[in-house]
Amino acid sequence: MTTTSSAGTGRPPAHGRRSRWPWVLLAVAAVLGLLAVLVGPRVYARLQEGRAAAPLSTPAAGASTPTAPATDPVLEGTWAVTGGTAGYRVDEVLNGQDVTVTGRTEQVTGELTVTGGELTAGTVAVDLTAVATDSANRDGQFRRLLGVDEDPTATFTLTGPVPLGGLDVGAVLAVTLPGTLAVNGREVAVQAPATVERTAEDAVTVTGAVPLTWSDVGVQAPDLGFVSVEDTGTVEFAVTATPA
């Protein structure tokens, strides 16, 4: 009777082949892990590019800079904020990849006052509990960092007059809004670049962006090693107001 063996066929014993499989699997897992580290952030960054909302405030073509009070009596009086959007824009760095994140809410209220052709008073309040991104985990961290449970509202308050000369129907003015931004129980003096557009005789839209250093409002930008948040961000708002 003739017997065969692995030595006679020139093939390694079956148990030898099986013993190499764990090492092969570990090598494959290591390669896949490396690819996830190297490629994952790039893929995530590309995905976020389409998810970040467009800036609420952009330079308006043809906007004029007023130097004198408005002369239209229709502008005089109190204007109530009847709608709008507000939120924040911040840059993250994920394993070396820059990612822009935006949070938005339409829970915005406020009031504007025009006296003698100038914007003399104004407040815009934002419900921070309603600000949302595409990630519930990120939103939870945002609320925790800003102490939203204790102070759920962010408020911008005008602190100086702004002339509105030339604010006719269809006109757009480029202005700077001096004010204070109250967030997380802190108040910060800011100068907010903004535009004021008169979309109808009885309607105006105010759009602005407030640059903010998080430490100024008692917030330390998160740094988890593989992902970090830049020390500065932007608070954005676009509100529509009509006569109260």
Side-chain angles (χ1 to χ4, degrees):
M1 177 180 295
T2 302
T3 60
T4 60
S5 68
S6 56
T9 61
R11 293 179 295 179
H15 66 83
R17 294 196 301 272
R18 286 196 298 269
S19 67
R20 286 201 298 270
W21 273 110
W23 297 104
V24 173
L25 292 175
L26 285 174
V28 171
V31 171
L32 291 177
L34 180 60
L35 287 174
V37 170
L38 296 177
V39 180
R42 294 185 177 89
V43 174
Y44 176 77
R46 291 193 187 99
L47 289 173
Q48 286 297 125
E49 285 178 359
R51 293 181 180 179
L56 293 174
S57 179
T58 55
S64 60
T65 302
T67 57
T71 58
D72 187 348
V74 175
L75 291 172
E76 297 291 306
T78 301
W79 295 63
V81 172
T82 55
T85 302
Y88 68 89
R89 178 179 300 273
V90 67
D91 290 331
E92 292 181 351
V93 180
L94 175 63
N95 288 341
Q97 296 296 313
D98 295 329
V99 177
T100 299
V101 175
T102 52
R104 292 284 185 264
T105 180
E106 295 181 356
Q107 300 300 313
V108 183
T109 58
E111 188 175 87
L112 310 175
T113 301
V114 178
T115 305
E118 296 183 317
L119 181 63
T120 54
T123 59
V124 176
V126 181
D127 180 1
L128 295 179
T129 66
V131 175
T133 67
D134 62 335
S135 168
N137 289 335
R138 183 189 290 115
D139 297 341
Q141 185 179 63
F142 164 82
R143 294 177 184 124
R144 178 180 59 80
L145 289 173
L146 289 184
V148 171
D149 288 343
E150 295 77 23
D151 193 356
T153 304
T155 305
F156 173 83
T157 303
L158 189 73
T159 57
V162 178
L164 299 176
L167 190 58
D168 303 320
V169 176
V172 180
L173 304 182
V175 301
T176 298
L177 304 176
T180 58
L181 181 66
V183 181
N184 194 32
R186 308 282 186 93
E187 288 190 354
V188 182
V190 296
Q191 297 284 327
T195 58
V196 182
E197 180 179 5
R198 193 169 179 184
T199 56
E201 186 173 359
D202 59 351
V204 297
T205 297
V206 182
T207 306
V210 183
L212 183 65
T213 299
W214 301 116
S215 60
D216 289 345
V217 292
V219 173
Q220 182 174 356
D223 187 345
L224 304 179
F226 66 94
V227 59
S228 61
V229 176
E230 295 294 336
D231 295 331
T232 60
T234 306
V235 176
E236 303 174 333
F237 62 88
V239 298
T240 297
T242 57

